[in-house]
């Protein structure tokens, strides 16, 4: 949180209102979320990636996708890592366990020497090494390293808000203004998906997430 302090007495006088916040990872007042996503070991999960994007956008945070472990696909090491990020901003690293969040920070600043572990070959997923959220200043950017996860919930996101997080859907005007792009007649989103303009995987994940939001809402008011 951002606070007002008394520099003479070194006491907190006021906790300022939060601009945004995430439940997983637990962090607030974020300028950008760097979604660290491995393409291999653990394997790329488009469902988890799309869900991360929706959660981040629903909380008014700018997402940036960072693909890691590309060397496992190309069979050669990547010698340089280049990240164009805004200076003097708070950037949270979020993503699946074992995707390489701590490894990325170690590449950006070797002095950090953050603990990392290889993934479980049997389970094809990472082993938790980061146990808590911590802020590191590298150059003029504040990075927040966070514990990874293998699943993510869409808590506190209703169907209308979820629809807004699929930004590519907003380009199309359906016959009905309240179209949820599921099975309505004259849905331009479904039409664009059938033509391959919208990625089928994105649309399939959208319908799954809508169902999940519906189930969450039923449990809430049951």
């Amino acid at each position: 949180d951002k606070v007002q302090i008394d520099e003479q007495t070194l006491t907190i006088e006021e906790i300022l209102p939060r601009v945004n916040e995430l439940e997983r990872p637990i962090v607030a007042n974020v300028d950008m979320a760097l979604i660290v996503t491995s393409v291999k070991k653990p394997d790329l999960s488009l469902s988890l990636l799309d869900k991360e994007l929706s959660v981040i956008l629903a909380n008014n945070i700018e997402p940036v996708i960072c693909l890691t472990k590309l060397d496992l696909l190309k069979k050669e090491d990547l010698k340089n890592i280049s990240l164009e990020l805004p200076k003097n901003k708070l950037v949270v690293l979020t993503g699946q366990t074992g995707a390489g969040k701590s490894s990325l920070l170690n590449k950006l600043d070797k002095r950090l020497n953050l603990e990392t572990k290889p993934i479980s070959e049997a389970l094809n997923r990472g082993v938790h090494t980061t146990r808590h959220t911590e802020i590191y200043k590298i150059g003029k950017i504040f990075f927040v390293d966070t514990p990874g996860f293998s699943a993510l919930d869409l808590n506190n996101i209703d169907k209308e808000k979820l629809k807004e997080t699929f930004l590519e859907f907003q380009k199309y005007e359906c016959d009905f203004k309240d179209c949820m792009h599921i099975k309505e007649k004259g849905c331009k989103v479904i039409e664009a998906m059938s033509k391959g303009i919208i990625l089928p995987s994105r649309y399939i994940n959208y319908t799954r997430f809508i169902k999940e939001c519906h189930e969450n809402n039923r449990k809430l008011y049951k």
Side-chain angles (χ1 to χ4, degrees):
D1 285 306
K2 294 182 178 180
V3 299
Q4 295 280 6
I5 65 170
D6 185 320
E7 294 185 0
Q8 299 299 321
T9 61
L10 300 179
T11 56
I12 296 175
E13 296 184 329
E14 181 185 3
I15 299 177
L16 302 178
R18 292 177 176 177
V19 175
N20 53 49
E21 61 182 290
L22 294 173
E23 290 185 359
R24 195 168 187 179
I26 299 176
V27 66
N29 300 313
V30 178
D31 296 296
M32 178 182 290
L34 196 62
I35 307 175
V36 182
T37 306
S38 65
V39 295
K40 207 77 173 175
K41 294 185 178 183
D43 293 340
L44 174 64
S45 170
L46 293 178
S47 177
L48 184 58
L49 175 58
D50 284 344
K51 189 172 285 190
E52 288 180 85
L53 285 169
S54 289
V55 170
I56 289 166
L57 288 168
N59 287 279
N60 301 313
I61 300 171
E62 180 185 358
V64 173
I65 300 172
C66 177
L67 297 177
T68 63
K69 305 186 182 181
L70 294 173
D71 55 307
L72 297 181
L73 292 181
K74 296 180 179 180
K75 296 182 179 180
E76 60 183 15
D77 293 330
L78 295 178
K79 297 181 179 180
N80 300 311
I81 294 179
S82 177
L83 286 175
E84 295 295 330
L85 298 174
K87 303 297 187 293
N88 300 315
K89 298 293 184 180
L90 186 66
V91 178
V92 61
L93 276 71
T94 178
Q96 190 175 10
T97 302
K101 298 182 292 298
S102 298
S103 296
L104 176 59
L105 290 179
N106 283 337
K107 288 288 185 181
L108 295 175
D109 189 341
K110 295 180 180 179
R111 295 172 298 178
L112 293 178
N113 195 30
L114 302 178
E115 182 185 4
T116 60
K117 291 182 180 179
I119 74 158
S120 169
E121 294 291 344
L123 299 175
N124 188 36
R125 67 185 184 196
V127 178
H128 289 285
T129 53
T130 302
R131 302 290 181 180
H132 62 280
T133 299
E134 188 163 346
I135 299 177
Y136 301 97
K137 186 177 182 182
I138 302 177
K140 295 184 178 181
I141 304 173
F142 293 92
F143 289 95
V144 184
D145 194 19
T146 64
F149 49 82
S150 57
L152 191 62
D153 295 323
L154 293 171
N155 297 330
N156 304 318
I157 301 178
D158 60 28
K159 293 187 291 185
E160 288 294 337
K161 187 66 176 179
L162 177 68
K163 184 173 70 171
E164 294 175 3
T165 66
F166 281 74
L167 304 182
E168 67 270 41
F169 291 5
Q170 298 176 17
K171 300 176 183 178
Y172 305 93
E173 292 186 9
C174 300
D175 290 354
F176 302 99
K177 290 185 177 180
D178 59 350
C179 182
M180 291 301 298
H181 318 310
I182 302 296
K183 54 183 178 181
E184 297 89 343
K185 292 183 179 180
C187 177
K188 299 299 187 294
V189 169
I190 295 177
E191 182 181 330
M193 186 274 296
S194 65
K195 293 180 179 179
I197 301 173
I198 290 177
L199 281 176
S201 64
R202 283 281 288 171
Y203 180 76
I204 291 171
N205 287 334
Y206 168 75
T207 58
R208 290 173 177 169
F209 299 164
I210 286 290
K211 183 178 180 181
E212 183 177 332
C213 288
H214 179 67
E215 292 298 324
N216 289 342
N217 189 65
R218 286 181 58 187
K219 292 177 183 178
L220 182 63
Y221 293 102
K222 188 174 182 181

